């Protein structure tokens, strides 16, 4: 098995080891290279911008198509967010390295594709009243983009070389699956009994992603670390 | 399973990250194995044994 670190991060560690040999420091873990801005900063700005556009649309300050176009612009912040996440993964050498970089690239690509096709579908359906064939094609695209994100998580599990991190990812996915399917089952019967409103099926994918977060918290409690997803 | 990873590591003055780099795994993995939260697979146990140049049974024992 090879080292999990990138050349840059490992060069930083070698410098640290040299200092350690000369008696400068003695801790349980090596320091990490400079990590730059947090990816959450970019994601936060992106959501704040999208929220502002939604607020403007809700108050009729801008019309629907303008809002859709304006909502796509902040999505480019996904790129610096992914770069920042890569820097952190590289700095921590958390068994992620190239595998994690590939995963983040795939997720960023499918997320961008999802948002762009969703906006395109809404825009064309609203203003052009397209034929059934075109509507079907446009409606398939966002769903396929979400399927691409599931595929990315599957590839992360297959490509992960760190068995402990792979186990955490599988546990997260199992928690997410149990969470989403349980929620769908309960909601379905409540809906049949006319107690709750109808939810479109794609919301269960959203619940699945939320379930990943639940799995990460449980990993943290049981194993002391969140996992890779 | 119990293990002597922490002691062996301390004897060599290695940090968890040092050992993780040698094994090609994350520091979290080393920490989870050391604290008994995770039992390594047989291939990883062999790699650990090779890294410390010791037989597996001198590093791991049934808990």
């Amino acid at each position: 098995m090879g080292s999990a670190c990138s050349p840059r991060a490992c060069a930083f560690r070698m410098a640290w080891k040299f200092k350690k040999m000369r008696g400068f420091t003695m801790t349980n873990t090596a320091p990490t290279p400079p990590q730059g801005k947090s990816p959450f900063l970019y994601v936060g700005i992106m959501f704040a911008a999208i929220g502002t556009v939604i607020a403007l649309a809700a108050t009729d300050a801008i019309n629907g198509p303008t809002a859709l176009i304006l909502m796509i612009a902040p999505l480019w912040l996904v790129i610096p967010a992914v770069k920042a996440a890569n820097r952190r993964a590289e700095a921590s050498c958390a068994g992620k390295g190239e595998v994690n970089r590939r995963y983040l690239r795939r997720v960023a690509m499918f997320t961008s594709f999802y948002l762009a096709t969703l906006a395109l579908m809404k825009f064309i359906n609203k203003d052009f009243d397209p034929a059934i064939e075109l509507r079907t094609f446009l409606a398939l695209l966002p769903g396929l983009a979400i399927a691409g994100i599931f595929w990315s998580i599957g590839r992360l599990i297959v490509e992960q070389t760190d068995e402990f991190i792979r186990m955490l990812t599988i546990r997260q996915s199992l928690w997410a699956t149990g969470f989403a399917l349980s929620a769908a089952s309960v909601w379905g019967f409540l809906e049949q009994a006319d107690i709750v409103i109808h939810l479109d099926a794609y919301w269960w994918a959203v619940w699945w992603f939320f379930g990943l977060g639940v799995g990460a918290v449980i990993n943290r409690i049981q194993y002391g670390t969140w996992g890779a997803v | 399973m119990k293990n002597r990873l922490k002691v062996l590591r301390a004897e060599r003055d290695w940090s968890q990250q040092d050992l993780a780099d040698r094994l090609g795994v994350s520091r979290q993995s080393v920490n989870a194995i050391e604290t008994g939260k995770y039992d390594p697979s047989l291939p990883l146990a062999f790699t650990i044994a090779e890294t410390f140049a010791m037989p597996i049974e001198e590093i791991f024992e049934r808990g």
Side-chain angles (χ1 to χ4, degrees):
Chain A
M1 275 189 271
S3 170
C5 291
S6 72
R8 195 179 77 176
C10 285
F12 189 85
R13 286 196 192 291
M14 282 179 71
W16 173 79
K17 281 179 184 173
F18 177 71
K19 277 187 182 177
K20 180 179 161 182
M21 279 192 298
R22 295 185 60 182
F24 283 112
T25 178
M26 183 62 68
T27 58
N28 206 29
T29 55
T32 53
Q35 298 176 8
K37 290 188 176 66
S38 165
F40 295 110
L41 175 72
Y42 296 107
V43 173
I45 294 170
M46 184 176 78
F47 280 113
I50 291 171
T52 306
V53 174
I54 290 171
L56 288 170
T59 54
D60 287 332
I62 53 175
N63 62 22
T66 310
L68 281 174
I69 291 164
L70 286 177
M71 272 204 280
I72 291 173
L75 300 179
W76 297 112
L77 286 166
V78 165
I79 294 167
V82 167
K83 283 184 178 173
N86 280 339
R87 272 198 304 274
R88 297 218 156 189
E90 188 177 278
S92 71
C93 287
K96 299 172 181 177
E98 185 54 36
V99 173
N100 207 46
R101 255 194 298 279
R102 276 201 296 270
Y103 164 70
L104 289 171
R105 257 201 308 269
R106 286 167 183 156
V107 168
M109 187 180 75
F110 284 117
T111 305
S112 306
F113 184 64
Y114 165 73
L115 293 164
T117 53
L118 181 67
L120 184 71
M121 184 185 78
K122 296 270 184 194
F123 179 70
I124 290 180
N125 283 350
K126 185 177 164 62
D127 290 357
F128 295 101
D129 191 23
I132 180 81
E133 293 82 6
L134 181 58
R135 264 192 295 144
T136 306
F137 175 70
L138 290 172
L140 277 172
L141 294 178
L144 289 175
I146 296 292
I149 296 176
F150 290 130
W151 174 80
S152 304
I153 294 171
R155 289 307 305 169
L156 175 68
I157 291 170
V158 170
E159 293 172 7
Q160 183 59 263
T161 53
D162 187 319
E163 60 182 51
F164 175 64
I165 300 294
R166 181 169 57 227
M167 183 201 70
L168 295 179
T169 308
I170 292 169
R171 279 172 53 89
Q172 269 184 279
S173 302
L174 288 175
W175 270 103
T177 304
F179 185 77
L181 291 181
S182 302
S185 303
V186 171
W187 192 274
F189 285 109
L190 288 172
E191 192 179 311
Q192 199 175 42
D194 290 329
I195 294 167
V196 294
I197 57 162
H198 171 71
L199 272 189
D200 290 326
Y202 56 70
W203 279 104
W204 304 118
V206 176
W207 279 100
W208 193 88
F209 291 120
F210 185 73
L212 281 181
V214 174
V217 171
I218 292 164
N219 277 345
R220 175 72 179 168
I221 293 167
Q222 289 190 335
Y223 291 95
T225 184
W226 301 97
V229 181
Chain B
M1 278 218 298
K2 289 180 185 172
N3 68 75
R4 297 177 54 225
L5 229 55
K6 192 170 184 175
V7 174
L8 295 171
R9 192 169 57 74
E11 283 172 2
R12 287 156 181 79
D13 195 22
W14 291 348
S15 67
Q16 287 186 343
Q17 186 65 58
D18 291 334
L19 179 57
D21 289 346
R22 284 177 161 83
L23 297 174
V25 299
S26 61
R27 189 192 61 76
Q28 289 96 323
S29 299
V30 171
N31 186 55
I33 295 167
E34 249 183 41
T35 53
K37 288 176 180 167
Y38 175 72
D39 291 332
S41 67
L42 203 51
L44 181 54
F46 269 110
T47 308
I48 292 169
E50 284 164 13
T51 303
F52 287 113
M54 295 170 78
I56 286 181
E57 60 269 26
E58 284 186 24
I59 302 173
F60 297 97
E61 62 178 70
R62 285 185 188 277

